[in-house]
Amino acid sequence: MSSKYGIVGLPNVGKSTLFNAITQTAKAQAENYPFCTIEPNIGMVEVPDIRLIKVAEIERSEKITPTFVEFVDIAGLVKGASKGEGLGNQFLAHIREVDAIVHVLRCFEDENIVHVEGSVNPVRDTKIIDLELIAKDMETVENRLQKVEKMAKGGNKEARKELEYLSFIKGILEDLEPLRKKELGEDILSYINRTLFLLTVKPVIYVANISEKDLPDGGDNKYVKEVKKLAQEERTSVIVLCAELEAQLVALEEEEKKDMLKAYGLDEPALNKLIREAYRVLNFITFFTAGPKETRAWTIKRGTKAKEAAGKIHSDMEKGFIAAEVINWKDLVEAGGWNRAKERGLIRLEGKDYEIQDGDVVYFRFNV
């Protein structure tokens, strides 16, 4: 199951530096002037998961296959983007294609790095981006309303129901509120995702980009405190990191990396936390298949049942599903491997309606 995350923000907040670090490349330019990034850069990134390594070790697997997520470095937005300012229409179209948004906010002062708004103010910056996304969504809704109103006047019952949805959505946008802040019913969410593809409904993770002097967690940084307060109000998450340091860490050997992390009071690169949070925000979980040849991580939505999960591996497994042999990864490791776990009666036999849990190691029985 693929997932795509768009890295957005105003120009010169550290988006491309972050993208370079995430993808461990120098693919995205990182220069001190607006609109450095025009075409979106795309990178596939491994989801860090120590469970995968532990399971592979205990099963003595020849091959380890992680799960991946896709990050897109989208050019810096500015005021008026929804009206085409700063190549805005092109940039907003790229946002429409992602599943979730990683919003990078500058939380450091540096007179040598130009801020497009003239000063550092992350809360203001979030509002600038939100207003542009709202304006674009409003345009989409109004265009749809014109079509649906004509159908509704003609007596189309489905059009009348759609008109109710559109009026409700428009009311939220007119209050200058992103849709993600509201409790939307499943029926409206389904309608939006099926028909409108709106921007402000997408989940957001805030990244507070701090300077090295504010590490490890930016605890005394007033800007970080403001971002955390904003995220709490929106019931979303914040990852605090120094994009410049993360980019430096990428170039180091493993021992050097550990030494640098220790010097800054960090236990792991903050990018690992960001990637895991990006994975979590879309309600994804991981299950594993394991054996001597390969241990592999698989991505599914939380709540996926065993038969459907089998289909993620191969359609024949879903068609001929018989049962799933299941054990939690930690129990497997503690038992010393699959065969020993089976001898101890730790492997459970589950049917097609069993909901796969995060961290399950599964062997599917099937017949075709």
Side-chain angles (χ1 to χ4, degrees):
M1 178 178 289
S2 61
S3 53
K4 187 182 292 188
Y5 304 84
I7 302 176
V8 306
L10 295 181
N12 292 344
V13 297
K15 297 184 318 305
S16 295
T17 301
L18 180 63
F19 176 83
N20 290 343
I22 287 175
T23 57
Q24 301 188 29
T25 70
K27 190 173 183 180
Q29 299 178 67
E31 301 293 343
N32 179 23
Y33 56 89
F35 310 124
C36 171
T37 305
I38 296 176
E39 290 300 321
N41 296 291
I42 299 173
M44 295 297 291
V45 183
E46 177 182 328
V47 177
D49 196 333
I50 190 64
R51 301 173 301 177
L52 176 68
I53 307 302
K54 295 288 187 183
V55 171
E57 287 175 351
I58 209 71
E59 289 298 310
R60 298 180 180 177
S61 302
E62 295 175 9
K63 182 181 179 184
I64 300 175
T65 305
T67 191
F68 291 84
V69 295
E70 185 174 339
F71 281 91
V72 182
D73 179 26
I74 298 171
L77 296 172
V78 293
K79 286 179 181 176
S82 60
K83 296 179 174 63
E85 293 294 327
L87 303 178
N89 284 328
Q90 183 179 349
F91 301 161
L92 290 166
H94 296 319
I95 296 174
R96 196 180 300 281
E97 296 171 2
V98 303
D99 301 302
I101 294 170
V102 176
H103 189 163
V104 183
L105 296 163
R106 178 170 162 181
C107 293
F108 64 90
E109 302 274 2
D110 189 333
E111 61 184 19
N112 295 316
I113 301 178
V114 177
H115 192 294
V116 72
E117 290 296 316
S119 63
V120 176
N121 186 331
V123 173
R124 174 206 60 207
D125 294 353
T126 63
K127 290 178 180 177
I128 290 173
I129 299 292
D130 278 346
L131 286 174
E132 296 307 321
L133 301 184
I134 288 167
K136 197 66 180 177
D137 279 356
M138 183 65 81
E139 179 186 310
T140 301
V141 169
E142 287 178 342
N143 289 340
R144 184 68 184 172
L145 266 170
Q146 290 177 8
K147 296 178 182 178
V148 174
E149 282 172 346
K150 292 178 182 177
M151 292 188 289
K153 286 177 181 177
N156 187 310
K157 290 183 180 179
E158 290 183 5
R160 287 177 182 174
K161 187 63 179 176
E162 187 174 352
L163 202 57
E164 290 179 20
Y165 290 160
L166 288 166
S167 298
F168 176 76
I169 294 165
K170 185 180 179 183
I172 296 172
L173 297 174
E174 285 178 336
D175 289 337
L176 302 182
E177 290 282 354
L179 294 169
R180 68 176 184 274
K181 292 185 180 181
K182 298 296 181 181
E183 293 289 342
L184 304 175
E186 285 298 321
D187 52 346
I188 291 180
L189 268 177
S190 177
Y191 167 71
I192 289 171
N193 293 328
R194 186 179 66 251
T195 308
L196 297 176
F197 311 105
L198 299 179
L199 305 175
T200 64
V201 78
K202 296 180 186 294
V204 169
I205 301 168
Y206 290 121
V207 171
N209 185 17
I210 61 175
S211 65
E212 291 183 21
K213 69 179 179 62
D214 287 328
L215 289 167
D217 60 3
D220 295 326
N221 183 312
K222 65 178 182 179
Y223 302 125
V224 171
K225 291 177 181 177
E226 291 170 1
V227 175
K228 286 183 175 180
K229 182 181 177 183
L230 175 69
Q232 188 175 19
E233 291 170 355
E234 294 189 15
R235 300 187 302 278
T236 189
S237 53
V238 179
I239 301 295
V240 180
L241 54 75
C242 172
E244 197 63 46
L245 176 67
E246 297 296 323
Q248 292 174 33
L249 287 169
V250 165
L252 299 178
E253 297 295 331
E254 202 57 39
E255 284 305 313
E256 293 176 314
K257 187 181 295 185
K258 288 178 182 177
D259 290 341
M260 182 172 278
L261 286 169
K262 186 177 180 180
Y264 282 103
L266 300 169
D267 55 358
E268 67 173 336
L271 291 181
N272 290 3
K273 297 175 184 177
L274 172 59
I275 295 165
R276 287 196 296 266
E277 183 59 23
Y279 193 73
R280 186 202 65 79
V281 80
L282 290 179
N283 211 19
F284 287 146
I285 63 170
T286 302
F287 76 90
F288 307 100
T289 52
K293 288 187 177 181
E294 181 185 34
T295 290
R296 181 164 182 165
W298 301 90
T299 299
I300 55 172
K301 281 278 190 180
R302 189 176 299 278
T304 299
K305 295 183 178 179
K307 185 177 179 181
E308 184 184 350
K312 299 295 179 184
I313 300 174
H314 199 286
S315 58
D316 284 348
M317 286 189 175
E318 185 172 9
K319 290 174 185 175
F321 180 90
I322 298 172
E325 295 182 31
V326 183
I327 185 172
N328 177 269
W329 76 274
K330 193 174 289 187
D331 293 336
L332 178 69
V333 171
E334 288 175 356
W338 188 269
N339 292 334
R340 288 183 180 177
K342 207 161 194 174
E343 289 169 3
R344 296 181 189 180
L346 298 176
I347 307 290
R348 309 188 312 276
L349 197 62
E350 302 286 359
K352 65 179 182 179
D353 292 327
Y354 169 72
E355 288 189 5
I356 299 292
Q357 301 299 303
D358 188 38
D360 276 350
V361 184
V362 187
Y363 173 78
F364 292 105
R365 294 184 184 179
F366 68 104
N367 184 29
V368 290

